[in-house]
Amino acid sequence: MAAFAEHPSTDAYYVTTPIYYVNDRPHLGHAYTTVAGDVLTRWHRQRGEDVWYLTGTDEHGQKILRTAEAHGVTPQEWCDRLVEEAWKPLWQHLEIANDDFVRTTQARHTDRVQEFVQDLYDKGEIYRGSYTGPYCVGCEEYKLPGELLPGAGEDEKLCPVHKRPVEWLEEENYFFKLSAYGPKLLEFYAANPGFIQPAAARNEVLRFVEQDLKDLSISRSTFDWGVPLPWDDKHVLYVWVDALQNYITAAGYGADPERFARLWPASVHLVGKDILRFHAVIWPAMLMAAGLPLPKRVVANGWLMVGGEKMSKSNLTGIAPTDLTSHFGVDAYRYYFLRAIPFGTDGSFSWEDFTARYTSELANDFGNLASRAAAMVGKYYDGVLPAAAAHGEAEQAVADALVRAAEEADRRIGEELDFAGGIAAIFEFIKTVNGYLTAQEPWKVARSTTEDDRARLATVLYTAAEALRATAVLLNPVMPAAAAELWDSLGAEAALGPLADQRIATVADWGRLPAGALVTKGDILFPRLEEKTAS
Ligand code: MSP
């Protein structure tokens, strides 16, 4: 098993989101994972790494087919429409910087999927059999009888996720020998304790695999919206087996060996906790069967809840991200969900909480600091940043706080995917800088004309501007538009180059922003919400 336990080194930091079902439009829950992945990958780009960020859409299966039929269009037409009108525009709107967008109906995917399953078939990993069991079309998953909830009638049973009746399927189809992989999976989890995160998710998977795994039904013959099995075209591949392979087909598997070697194995699969078993059990087993390396980490996030239930379109509780961005703006949106909900746990969205954080953290703590500092450099130095005349204890305390914040944010966001903790560390630094300004009172010092006080004023304003320089770099992955605005207002690009080229490794090197930088006031980063609504 050593071949699976050791990951061959790969050049790229390759991150994936789940590929989303296009039966409906995206809601906050979908955007949550995609924004998290975007912040993670932007962070790693700022470390100077070779990064690849993949998202896409899952377009086969019964759920999509039934939706298309209900709308009187072909499933392909339906998918094309939703992808172009809803999904891609949303990611653009939210400033998601994905490197690729895979659709499971693309030939670059379906051709490779057929080769992959043919290979498993040839290796004797797939056999023909029959299966009867409860199936949830919402989940596109056979359910275990023990996990069902009681329904209205005596015979009715409900899916625990969708709270809708399951269907009993009885099918003659093909099976993947998943049951053979239990011991190998357990061995792999033991050798790679960081493979499934967080710990609660890992424990859940361990408990599941420690029971006997059942073989997996991987084909359907009652409908044809899927990838045909190459050896029996009366069957299409079960949508999940097709979908999971997006992570390799989009990375060049079977088509571009060089690219595939660079990208695979993936560094992180981001998944919602409801699809953890697919990623931490079925997918690794399929890869083992194919003789391919396993992803390095599968990280499960919690759900956004509404009234104690998972937010979902099928429960009619899905909120469109644009309903929030039109009020709070895109940057604040990206910030809020990652800051307010510890990654990995469930969380509820509330308009009041968002408003409170917007006002106190973004508008007051961060936005005001930026505009106050720029305004004072404008007023007292005609916008030309003065050199610090001295670097005393108070300034050193700010520089030290920056080192701590940068290290902590790098560890938490870049390594632990603890976005809330990492962002909190950056905002702790902002608090320190605000405290420094309050204590130094530059607006009072400016009233004095003594030489000492002129020097003091220069030192204080330089310190504030330099602290903001670092803040722009640290917040760029989270709030790219506000960070760019700040970078611009500090006149930093002329001396330091584009914001995107700034590196985390040097962000805490004190004194990078040169004296003489042309500081301008710029737009208010986070305008008062009332003004926004009125406009
Ligand atoms: N198509 C499959 C994934 C295939 S990946 C090879 C799928 N699609 S989905 O559109 O139903 O869900 C995609 C992701 O959105 C899942 O990770 C799911 O957990 C997430 N979310 C859907 N509703 C959510 C919330 N209310 N909150 C957070 N995430 C949620 O499953």
Side-chain angles (χ1 to χ4, degrees):
M1 285 310 302
F4 295 116
E6 283 162 26
H7 299 300
S9 74
T10 168
D11 296 329
Y13 189 74
Y14 173 33
V15 178
T16 68
T17 71
I19 49 170
Y20 301 97
Y21 286 130
V22 288
N23 60 311
D24 218 328
R25 290 170 178 273
H27 60 64
L28 301 185
H30 306 120
Y32 180 58
T33 316
T34 311
V35 168
D38 192 58
V39 171
L40 178 66
T41 44
R42 283 176 184 262
W43 191 273
H44 279 260
R45 281 196 195 100
Q46 286 208 193
R47 280 187 179 176
E49 294 170 20
D50 172 18
V51 171
W52 196 257
Y53 185 33
L54 174 71
T55 190
T57 45
D58 192 350
E59 306 187 1
H60 289 130
Q62 241 163 325
K63 177 148 88 168
I64 308 282
L65 179 61
R66 287 184 186 176
T67 308
E69 281 169 355
H71 287 84
V73 293
T74 67
Q76 189 66 63
E77 281 167 344
W78 177 261
C79 294
D80 291 349
R81 187 193 297 174
L82 267 278
V83 167
E84 295 307 327
E85 290 176 10
W87 290 82
K88 282 186 173 172
L90 177 66
W91 301 149
Q92 214 165 5
H93 174 66
L94 294 179
E95 303 238 29
I96 304 301
N98 53 302
D99 297 284
D100 194 2
F101 188 102
V102 63
R103 299 182 54 182
T104 55
T105 50
Q106 289 167 333
R108 65 164 172 161
H109 173 77
T110 53
D111 289 354
R112 301 289 91 71
V113 165
Q114 287 192 318
E115 287 161 17
F116 184 97
V117 289
Q118 180 70 55
D119 178 46
L120 294 198
Y121 188 66
D122 295 343
K123 285 178 168 148
E125 297 283 346
I126 291 171
Y127 66 92
R128 207 181 156 95
S130 67
Y131 193 84
T132 315
Y135 190 83
C136 171
V137 175
C139 295
E140 292 282 15
E141 184 182 14
Y142 275 112
K143 295 286 165 183
L144 302 173
E147 63 185 342
L148 301 178
L149 303 174
E154 220 175 81
D155 293 336
E156 194 177 88
K157 295 273 182 274
L158 307 182
C159 161
V161 176
H162 290 88
K163 310 281 181 334
R164 290 219 234 121
V166 292
E167 300 173 21
W168 281 84
L169 294 195
E170 195 170 349
E171 283 195 290
E172 168 90 2
N173 39 30
Y174 290 92
F175 287 78
F176 167 58
K177 290 181 181 166
L178 181 62
S179 61
Y181 287 89
K184 293 177 200 168
L185 287 167
L186 290 172
E187 203 180 316
F188 179 81
Y189 304 145
N192 298 273
F195 176 61
I196 304 164
Q197 289 170 353
R202 175 182 155 83
N203 290 336
E204 188 208 305
V205 171
L206 290 184
R207 295 299 84 80
F208 178 72
V209 178
E210 278 161 4
Q211 300 162 18
D212 278 347
L213 287 179
K214 306 252 175 315
D215 287 346
L216 177 73
S217 159
I218 60 149
S219 73
R220 301 287 182 266
S221 54
T222 51
F223 62 94
D224 66 356
W225 181 237
V227 180
L229 293 188
W231 65 89
D232 183 348
D233 64 8
K234 285 184 206 63
H235 289 247
V236 291
L237 199 58
Y238 169 41
V239 60
W240 264 103
V241 173
D242 154 9
L244 287 163
Q245 291 178 62
N246 87 88
Y247 304 129
I248 56 172
T249 58
Y253 166 74
D256 184 344
E258 220 169 280
R259 196 157 154 269
F260 189 58
R262 179 182 137 230
L263 296 179
W264 194 257
S267 309
V268 180
H269 284 326
L270 292 174
V271 302
K273 64 177 185 179
D274 48 327
I275 58 169
L276 178 63
R277 282 183 200 171
F278 289 102
H279 287 81
V281 182
I282 295 174
W283 179 226
M286 281 166 54
L287 289 166
M288 284 178 177
L292 288 171
L294 270 51
K296 293 178 193 164
R297 275 160 96 185
V298 177
V299 181
N301 62 251
W303 287 337
L304 297 189
M305 311 289 278
V306 176
E309 297 280 335
K310 176 186 176 213
M311 175 185 295
S312 79
K313 284 277 170 163
S314 50
N315 291 340
L316 301 178
T317 54
I319 301 172
T322 44
D323 288 349
L324 300 190
T325 57
S326 60
H327 184 67
F328 295 101
V330 168
D331 275 333
Y333 179 95
R334 293 169 57 100
Y335 169 86
Y336 173 72
F337 288 99
L338 294 181
R339 175 74 182 85
I341 304 168
F343 206 62
T345 65
D346 293 343
S348 292
F349 155 75
S350 106
W351 195 267
E352 292 72 24
D353 186 45
F354 198 161
T355 305
R357 282 189 185 273
Y358 180 99
T359 305
S360 83
E361 294 161 14
L362 295 179
N364 292 349
D365 292 351
F366 176 38
N368 274 351
L369 171 64
S371 56
R372 266 196 305 167
M376 286 190 281
V377 177
K379 188 163 169 196
Y380 306 129
Y381 293 94
D382 287 332
V384 181
L385 185 67
H391 188 78
E393 228 169 81
E395 288 71 40
Q396 190 53 43
V398 174
D400 290 344
L402 172 59
V403 172
R404 283 197 303 276
E407 276 173 7
E408 186 168 350
D410 191 34
R411 175 170 51 80
R412 288 189 187 263
I413 298 175
E415 296 306 320
E416 298 168 0
L417 279 70
D418 171 9
F419 300 100
I423 296 170
I426 301 168
F427 273 74
E428 203 46 49
F429 174 63
I430 291 175
K431 243 192 200 139
T432 303
V433 183
N434 274 318
Y436 168 81
L437 278 188
T438 307
Q440 301 302 322
E441 300 182 307
W443 44 90
K444 279 196 188 154
V445 179
R447 285 190 222 128
S448 155
T449 48
T450 68
E451 211 161 290
D452 274 3
D453 280 339
R454 296 312 293 172
R456 186 82 217 121
L457 184 63
T459 300
V460 173
L461 293 187
Y462 178 81
T463 303
E466 170 62 352
L468 283 166
R469 185 272 310 157
T471 305
V473 176
L474 292 171
L475 286 178
N476 187 32
V478 184
M479 298 188 280
E485 191 78 48
L486 179 56
W487 195 248
D488 212 40
S489 100
L490 293 169
E493 179 146 348
L496 299 175
L499 180 56
D501 294 350
Q502 308 305 305
R503 293 286 163 259
I504 300 294
T506 52
V507 68
D509 292 354
W510 194 257
R512 289 179 60 77
L513 187 64
L518 297 179
V519 177
T520 48
K521 197 137 186 275
D523 287 344
I524 292 187
L525 295 183
F526 297 97
R528 284 174 164 280
L529 288 173
E530 303 83 72
E531 292 168 19
K532 254 190 144 123
T533 331
S535 68

